[in-house]
Amino acid sequence: MYYQTLGQMKKMLRQMDAWLEAATAFAQTKSFDPNAFLQFRLAPDQFAFGRQVQIACDTAKVATARLTGKDAPVHADSEQTLGELRDRIASVLKYLDGFTAKDFEGAAQRVVTQPRWEGKVMSGADYFMEHALPNFFFHTTHAYAILRHTGVNLGKRDYLGPLSLRAP
Amino acid sequence: MYYQTLGQMKKMLRQMDAWLEAATAFAQTKSFDPNAFLQFRLAPDQFAFGRQVQIACDTAKVATARLTGKDAPVHADSEQTLGELRDRIASVLKYLDGFTAKDFEGAAQRVVTQPRWEGKVMSGADYFMEHALPNFFFHTTHAYAILRHTGVNLGKRDYLGPLSLRAP
């Protein structure tokens, strides 16, 4: 289950990369600096686009590290351009490509914690379902919604990506 | 896996109900008709809030029906008020409460189709991961984002709901 969902997270990150490509093209047709996107947000007290992309990347990266007991690469959150954000996505995808289903054996029983939880812990199973999965979709979807709100020409197919349809 | 994720979907629908309650209270403090929310949207060619809530409900309902081979209750999409949307959520939660883990046996191997796919099909496993799961979070998160964009006082805790934290 965790490895299958990792596959879907990787797919969503590839789709997110395509949204950034579309945002870059949109800025060119409108003759504005595409890197302005990094500061766009839906509410004054929500994270801006650049931070949404960073956290989406981190959520997939950190969840995979925690559920497999491996170390995650550190990213400095210093991206200033859409190109640098796309490099971030590529870096995380390369890291995630290094995992196999076998790495996730025992993931549900692992003990997961983070500083914000003030000494408390969650099981790997609860952490994945209640925290990692909804947070991943929260930030990817907010990134998408900020671009749509700004006028970038995206649709549900760009969000979902290609489906494994076959003849009956 | 499907039954565990159904539990998380039910949790998200309960959180969504709380967002509607917060939206109602917000409208009262600002002295506007809370049902105006149903028409708010983030982009001219995106679905408005009311439709986002309806589709989030339908995605959980239809995915559960398709993966278990059961019939889903029909909802008329006639809601005109936040109260009616909350009734819709309650109705779907009641339907979903009727399923057990055993109902999902063989779900991955089921053949799933819908009119939009023009005769093509997906396996239950692919349909769930590539279509139902991302669509469910797409529409719940857009409902949340529309409320945040409008000024409703919500935060990440309202999105995630209570976490299963415990002492180490």
Side-chain angles (χ1 to χ4, degrees), chain A:
Chain A
M1 164 182 187
Y2 304 111
Y3 184 65
Q4 286 174 52
T5 312
L6 175 65
Q8 179 63 27
M9 287 184 171
K10 286 162 62 176
K11 180 178 177 181
M12 295 299 304
L13 291 176
R14 289 192 298 267
Q15 293 308 118
M16 193 162 71
D17 182 65
W19 310 338
L20 270 71
E21 190 176 8
T24 307
F26 176 78
Q28 285 164 350
T29 64
K30 295 280 186 181
S31 300
F32 69 88
D33 177 4
N35 302 319
F37 276 111
L38 273 77
Q39 301 307 323
F40 295 165
R41 69 189 77 212
L42 294 177
D45 57 341
Q46 274 200 324
F47 285 131
F49 179 76
R51 191 85 191 102
Q52 301 285 359
V53 173
Q54 290 169 343
I55 302 179
C57 288
D58 272 357
T59 306
K61 175 184 79 175
V62 173
T64 300
R66 285 182 177 147
L67 290 176
T68 60
K70 305 282 174 69
D71 287 328
V74 175
H75 292 87
D77 293 337
S78 57
E79 291 87 357
Q80 300 290 328
T81 69
L82 289 186
E84 288 170 358
L85 284 177
R86 295 184 69 187
D87 290 343
R88 168 84 166 249
I89 295 170
S91 164
V92 171
L93 279 169
K94 189 176 175 186
Y95 170 70
L96 299 177
D97 279 342
F99 289 84
T100 65
K102 195 170 165 57
D103 292 320
F104 289 87
E105 284 176 8
Q109 288 76 42
R110 284 188 183 273
V111 175
V112 175
T113 191
Q114 60 170 321
R116 187 180 300 180
W117 296 344
E118 299 174 344
K120 293 195 173 171
V121 303
M122 293 178 82
S123 70
D126 289 340
Y127 158 72
F128 180 78
M129 193 59 86
E130 300 179 14
H131 195 273
L133 188 68
N135 266 323
F136 177 76
F137 279 108
F138 182 93
H139 294 290
T140 48
T141 304
H142 271 81
Y144 175 94
I146 291 167
L147 297 185
R148 288 288 271 112
H149 181 63
T150 319
V152 179
N153 187 26
L154 296 170
K156 182 62 81 63
R157 286 187 189 192
D158 301 297
Y159 181 82
L160 291 179
L163 300 178
S164 299
L165 292 167
R166 57 175 172 79

Side-chain angles (χ1 to χ4, degrees), chain B residues 33-36 38-39 54 77-85:
Chain B
D33 177 4
N35 302 318
L38 273 77
Q39 301 307 323
Q54 290 169 343
D77 293 337
S78 57
E79 290 87 356
Q80 300 291 328
T81 68
L82 289 185
E84 287 170 358
L85 285 177

Side-chain angles (χ1 to χ4, degrees), chain B residues 26-103:
Chain B
F26 177 78
Q28 286 164 350
T29 64
K30 296 280 187 182
S31 300
F32 69 89
D33 177 4
N35 302 318
F37 277 111
L38 273 77
Q39 301 307 323
F40 295 165
R41 69 190 77 212
L42 293 177
D45 57 341
Q46 275 199 323
F47 286 130
F49 179 77
R51 191 85 191 103
Q52 300 285 0
V53 172
Q54 290 169 343
I55 302 179
C57 287
D58 272 357
T59 305
K61 175 183 80 174
V62 172
T64 300
R66 286 184 176 145
L67 290 176
T68 60
K70 305 284 175 68
D71 286 329
V74 175
H75 292 87
D77 293 337
S78 57
E79 290 87 356
Q80 300 291 328
T81 68
L82 289 185
E84 287 170 358
L85 285 177
R86 296 184 68 187
D87 291 343
R88 167 85 166 250
I89 296 170
S91 164
V92 171
L93 279 170
K94 190 176 174 186
Y95 171 69
L96 299 177
D97 279 341
F99 290 84
T100 65
K102 196 171 164 55
D103 292 321

Side-chain angles (χ1 to χ4, degrees), chain B residues 13-33:
Chain B
L13 292 176
R14 289 192 299 268
Q15 293 308 119
M16 193 163 71
D17 182 65
W19 310 337
L20 271 72
E21 190 176 9
T24 307
F26 177 78
Q28 286 164 350
T29 64
K30 296 280 187 182
S31 300
F32 69 89
D33 177 4

